[in-house]
Amino acid sequence: MSKPKIALTALAAALLAGCATGPTVEQQAAYAADSRAAVGELVKTLLGELRQDIAAGGPEGAITVCRDKAPKIAGGIAQKHGVSVKRVTFKPRNPQRSTPDEWETQALRELEQRFAQGVKGDALEYYQVVDGPKGKTFRYMKGLVTAELCMTCHGTPETIPPAVQAKLAAEYPGDKATGYLPNQFRGGVSIQRPL
Ligand code: HEC
């Protein structure tokens, strides 16, 4: 009769040790839900601003939404959720801002592969607790897929109006973020939460 007791004690000890060394599975799921909500707010706000500015000043006028407003919107959402928020991609328009780090590269590869296998929407997410020099961080990545609206600035010469092509060429030499069709893997939103 003493054997199961020992096993149970060992299990309890293991669980307690888990609590001391990092967030539980449930805590991670809660962080993931909060990250998902933050990405949802970012995408919704950006799309709203894009539509509004395209209607007001044409697509060439809306370029500033992605360039100047996007980081500000992301900053506000980051502050509200106590995280950092960054857009990353393998095909950057603005490599200074959107080049993925090592973890982000691995997460994007994983999500791109899942997308190729047919995974869609909210399921296109990847998260992990990562040990770093400054302690543990909860890291989260949500995949971004192109839609019809994105074609005005990320599509082909047939879908990008000449005025937009001219402005992109002037502002983003070496732009890699064109040539997309709708429903292709574009990159992701990366969230970091210090624990
Ligand atoms: C009006 C033009 C315009 C439209 C429409 C647009 N973008 Fe962008 N996008 C840009 C510009 C300009 C940048 C570079 C922003 C910067 O300087 O940080 C950019 C950057 C990005 C980035 C950051 C990575 C990078 O390449 O630097 C992602 C991700 C992105 N766009 C996704 C999308 C998606 C998805 C859509 C459609 C829902 C979309 N964009 C629609 C102009 C646009």
Side-chain angles (χ1 to χ4, degrees):
M1 282 310 274
S2 66
K3 251 195 177 171
K5 226 182 204 170
I6 289 167
L8 269 178
T9 314
L11 177 65
L15 281 173
L16 282 172
C19 286
T21 53
T24 61
V25 172
E26 288 78 14
Q27 276 168 327
Q28 290 188 47
Y31 294 149
D34 186 70
S35 305
R36 202 176 300 131
V39 175
E41 286 166 42
L42 176 65
V43 170
K44 196 173 158 222
T45 314
L46 265 183
L47 285 179
E49 294 273 346
L50 267 178
R51 290 209 177 93
Q52 212 174 311
D53 282 34
I54 288 174
E60 67 272 26
I63 284 177
T64 52
V65 173
C66 253
R67 192 193 61 200
D68 303 329
K69 288 191 185 169
K72 285 198 192 119
I73 295 166
I77 291 168
Q79 210 171 3
K80 181 179 152 199
H81 288 261
V83 297
S84 74
V85 179
K86 190 181 158 199
R87 295 193 298 175
V88 288
T89 178
F90 291 138
K91 291 169 71 180
R93 173 158 288 165
N94 189 338
Q96 271 176 320
R97 280 185 185 155
S98 59
T99 300
D101 68 17
E102 204 180 316
W103 186 88
E104 287 161 342
T105 301
Q106 177 206 335
L108 282 178
R109 276 208 196 107
E110 171 71 28
L111 291 180
E112 193 168 29
Q113 204 176 338
R114 284 194 215 162
F115 179 69
Q117 289 163 354
V119 178
K120 290 197 176 76
D122 272 355
L124 220 52
E125 64 175 8
Y126 181 83
Y127 58 85
Q128 224 172 22
V129 175
V130 175
D131 272 313
K134 290 185 196 152
K136 286 187 194 302
T137 311
F138 178 79
R139 302 206 63 174
Y140 174 97
M141 180 79 75
K142 174 81 173 51
L144 283 179
V145 175
T146 52
E148 199 63 51
L149 171 71
C150 322
M151 296 305 106
T152 316
C153 303
H154 295 290
T156 60
E158 288 77 43
T159 66
I160 308 178
V164 174
Q165 289 186 35
K167 195 155 180 192
L168 289 176
E171 295 202 18
Y172 297 101
D175 182 11
K176 290 200 175 68
T178 59
Y180 284 95
L181 300 173
N183 199 31
Q184 287 186 330
F185 191 80
R186 169 77 179 96
V189 181
S190 170
I191 297 216
Q192 289 195 57
R193 177 187 300 272
L195 297 178

